[in-house]
Amino acid sequence: MVGPVSQEERLTASRRIKIGFIVLVGLSAGLITLQGEPSLLTFALAVCAGLVVGTVVVWLAFPRGLGFRS
């Protein structure tokens, strides 16, 4: 039998989804650069830029903040 989900479990799940989305956006930005045979620096900068963009998108999508703290 499944009981109700506690507030802590909701926060944990929300935090994981947000972090996963940020990582997904960051890695996809890096993977896009691989189509042009980039240098390692270019790849790293693209991943960092993607992580920043992912953070902004999560911040806009969840107006209550990032919720990384409990």
Side-chain angles (χ1 to χ4, degrees), residues 15-62:
R15 189 175 309 130
R16 288 179 181 167
I17 289 171
K18 292 173 186 176
I19 291 172
F21 186 79
I22 292 170
V23 170
L24 178 69
V25 171
L27 289 178
S28 68
L31 289 175
I32 288 171
T33 62
L34 290 179
Q35 293 182 0
E37 298 180 16
S39 67
L40 184 59
L41 178 64
T42 304
F43 176 77
L45 287 175
V47 170
C48 289
L51 291 174
V52 170
V53 170
T55 301
V56 170
V57 169
V58 166
W59 180 70
L60 290 173
F62 300 96

